[in-house]
Amino acid sequence: MAWLLLLPAAVLLAAFTYVPALGSALASLYSTPHGARPARFVGLDNYAAMAADPVFWRALQNSVVYAAGTVPLAIGLALAMALLVNGSAPGRGLLRTAFFLPTVLPMIAVANIWLFFFTQDYGLVDQLLGLAGVPPRNWLGGPHTVLGCMMAVAVWKEAGFFMIFYLAALQTIPPNLREAAAIDGDRRFYVFRRVTLPLLMPTTVFVAVNALINAFRLVDHVIVMTNGGPDNASNLLLYYVYEVAFKFWDTSYAAALTLVLLVILATLAFTQFAVLDRRTHCR
């Protein structure tokens, strides 16, 4: 009965995850067919070309920096918002709605909103900074600022979604634990660090893995806001896969890039589970 109940999910997972992954692995060993010229077996040539591709290494570096910046910020902001709206403060329902609202907006709409925010001279960012005497600048056109702008968009979009998980976890913590610590005279930060945070670790594992995967798969705002520019400064690995496959029509090289991306994500996810899960169950 258990296997029968798992069968629909297993079929969907195999059909839309494992079979396409195996297909990409197989396609990466062949050349891209062009017109009447069929695909031919080239072995690891696509991977050799990838190792010598400077755009790939730039996109990989950008993706790592992007993930390292967005994941901790999104998790920290989500936890802070959950703590803020978990109590009985007046207007908490309105705050929850405001924090969660960016999550329900399509990423295309979010990108267009922030595209206006970052517009030089007329955008909200330059208008606010201008009040402090900061001169306007081209935020999305500068190679040193564009990736940070993309991070801000992703954190604003995702933090409210992760807040829901932390809020649910906070509401399952028995109140008597915090009350006992308060009776013992422990400070609020000590109670949070020694009681609340350890009990939130299973949720943190789940949120961290999802945040990391999202950091490598979000490309909608890149397409709308920068197209990977300037000079590949905001080019992320998944956007480069899209660009190679659907702009350059090199599907075999795109398959090799996809397989490398899958390996990177699987390695990072397993590492996160191993490290965080050990901390979750340590006593």
Side-chain angles (χ1 to χ4, degrees):
M1 180 58 70
W3 288 108
L4 185 62
L5 294 173
L6 288 173
L7 184 61
V11 169
L12 290 174
L13 191 63
F16 294 102
T17 302
Y18 298 127
V19 171
L22 291 175
S24 296
L26 185 63
S28 68
L29 302 177
Y30 287 82
S31 64
T32 300
H34 293 287
R37 186 178 65 185
R40 57 185 179 83
F41 182 78
V42 295
L44 300 178
D45 285 0
N46 286 317
Y47 296 95
M50 189 188 310
D53 184 0
V55 180
F56 162 73
W57 291 109
R58 182 65 184 273
L60 179 59
Q61 177 186 350
N62 291 340
S63 297
V64 172
V65 173
Y66 179 83
T70 56
V71 172
L73 285 175
I75 293 175
L77 185 58
L79 180 55
M81 291 191 300
L83 291 170
L84 180 62
V85 300
N86 184 48
S88 56
R92 62 174 181 171
L94 182 61
L95 279 177
R96 290 179 182 179
T97 303
F99 290 157
F100 187 72
L101 183 61
T103 301
V104 301
L105 296 176
M107 189 48 133
I108 299 297
V110 170
N112 279 283
I113 292 171
W114 282 86
L115 190 62
F116 165 73
F117 288 171
F118 290 127
T119 300
Q120 188 174 0
D121 294 322
Y122 304 103
L124 181 63
V125 175
D126 275 347
Q127 292 291 331
L128 292 177
L129 293 177
L131 299 176
V134 179
R137 64 185 304 173
N138 188 358
W139 296 97
L140 297 178
H144 301 296
T145 58
V146 63
L147 197 58
C149 294
M150 311 308 289
M151 293 180 191
V153 176
V155 171
W156 185 80
K157 172 82 166 90
E158 294 196 308
F161 177 68
F162 298 138
M163 177 201 68
I164 298 299
F165 296 101
Y166 276 120
L167 184 59
L170 285 170
Q171 293 177 351
T172 61
I173 297 177
N176 60 313
L177 292 177
R178 289 192 290 266
E179 291 171 0
I183 292 173
D184 290 339
D186 293 331
R187 295 185 301 273
R188 181 175 297 183
F189 177 75
Y190 183 85
V191 174
F192 171 76
R193 187 167 63 91
R194 291 296 187 180
V195 178
T196 306
L197 196 58
L199 292 175
L200 291 177
M201 281 305 295
T203 303
T204 301
V205 173
F206 173 80
V207 169
V209 172
N210 279 274
L212 183 65
I213 293 174
N214 287 347
F216 277 88
R217 74 176 180 83
L218 281 178
V219 295
D220 308 42
H221 58 319
V222 178
I223 296 174
V224 172
M225 300 176 73
T226 65
N227 279 322
D231 193 23
N232 292 308
S234 63
N235 195 351
L236 303 179
L237 189 53
L238 188 56
Y239 177 77
Y240 188 48
V241 174
Y242 157 78
E243 198 172 37
V244 170
F246 298 104
K247 289 187 176 181
F248 306 149
W249 295 105
D250 193 349
T251 55
S252 296
Y253 188 43
L257 290 168
T258 302
L259 192 62
V260 169
L261 178 60
L262 289 175
V263 171
I264 292 173
L265 286 177
T267 303
L268 291 175
F270 284 133
T271 303
Q272 279 186 304
F273 273 119
V275 174
L276 295 179
D277 194 59
R278 188 183 302 116
R279 293 190 61 185
T280 300
H281 297 97
C282 65
R283 295 292 185 266

